[in-house]
Amino acid sequence: MLKGTRINLRLVRESDLDDYIRLTHDIDARGPFFPVMLSSEPQIRHEFQESGFWSEKFRTMIIVDKVSDRMIGSISAFKTVFYHDALELGYILYDVSSRGKGIMAEAVRLYCGYLFRWQNIHRIQLEIETGHIASRRTAENAGFTHEGTIRHCLIVNGSPVDMEMYSIIRSEFERESVATD
């Protein structure tokens, strides 16, 4: 378990699956920027039985309230380009009342700390839809640097959209961590 100030990150437990499935299937709570891709309940249960949502391809932790251990979101790391020494993060707060309070920036910092300490990577990146102001703020508050715009790289509702690339590299994270200790 990764312990934060207001939240903890932990691996998904079998006892979490019913809530995880319910939350991931709630399209309205995803908001307008989170992909609408759905996996069936049997697919989710099978993937959990195979890997516990933790493998070289995809590493998922849930974000839980520090006091109640209630699941409020999830954060994942995955490889996007096989020859890059990098991982990309994806994250969501399912609990709408938890949004806008800096909780996701805390989760991103915790998860990056884990990844940089325990994984052999030197770069973590985020691709954020240009209009997603809250996610851009999360990236900046977590110490990520805006690198540029990836034009027309995603189709949403039949129209191409731009994505903003943010990253943090190991040395920047370590320098920032020392400065805040």
Side-chain angles (χ1 to χ4, degrees):
M1 180 181 304
L2 305 178
K3 296 179 179 181
T5 305
R6 295 173 291 166
I7 50 98
N8 293 329
L9 302 181
R10 65 173 173 78
L11 297 176
V12 180
R13 301 174 184 150
E14 191 161 2
S15 60
D16 296 319
L17 282 178
D18 288 340
D19 283 340
Y20 183 82
I21 291 165
R22 178 181 54 77
L23 292 169
T24 60
H25 285 176
D26 186 349
I27 292 173
D28 292 333
R30 291 173 177 230
F33 298 105
F34 199 81
V36 185
M37 300 171 292
L38 294 173
S39 296
S40 69
E41 182 175 337
Q43 286 174 305
I44 293 170
R45 291 186 186 281
H46 175 75
E47 184 181 337
F48 179 80
Q49 291 304 316
E50 289 288 312
S51 68
F53 304 138
W54 195 265
S55 68
E56 280 300 308
K57 288 184 177 182
F58 214 79
R59 301 169 192 142
T60 298
M61 298 185 95
I62 58 173
I63 303 165
V64 296
D65 178 80
K66 192 164 186 74
V67 175
S68 68
D69 198 48
R70 180 178 59 88
M71 184 186 327
I72 61 172
S74 65
I75 187 166
S76 301
F78 48 94
K79 196 100 164 124
T80 56
V81 180
F82 73 92
Y83 55 85
H84 283 181
D85 182 26
L87 291 174
E88 184 172 331
L89 296 186
Y91 47 76
I92 185 170
L93 278 176
Y94 302 113
D95 180 22
V96 177
S97 68
S98 295
R99 294 179 184 165
K101 298 178 179 176
I103 289 172
M104 189 53 76
E106 180 179 350
V108 168
R109 283 190 300 272
L110 275 172
Y111 200 44
C112 287
Y114 167 79
L115 292 170
F116 283 133
R117 275 192 299 278
W118 299 104
Q119 305 293 306
N120 188 25
I121 58 158
H122 295 281
R123 173 188 170 89
I124 299 172
Q125 62 190 40
L126 304 167
E127 290 186 20
I128 301 168
E129 195 171 326
T130 298
H132 198 335
I133 304 304
S135 194
R136 293 173 72 176
R137 194 172 311 122
T138 293
E140 292 161 0
N141 289 339
F144 282 67
T145 299
H146 182 256
E147 293 184 336
T149 303
I150 307 166
R151 300 177 308 142
H152 288 202
C153 71
L154 187 66
I155 302 296
V156 176
N157 296 325
S159 298
V161 296
D162 297 342
M163 303 290 276
E164 302 301 323
M165 176 65 76
Y166 284 82
S167 74
I168 190 165
I169 56 175
R170 180 186 295 271
S171 60
E172 292 169 340
F173 186 84
E174 290 170 348
R175 195 168 40 249
E176 184 178 298
S177 294
V178 169
T180 59
D181 285 346

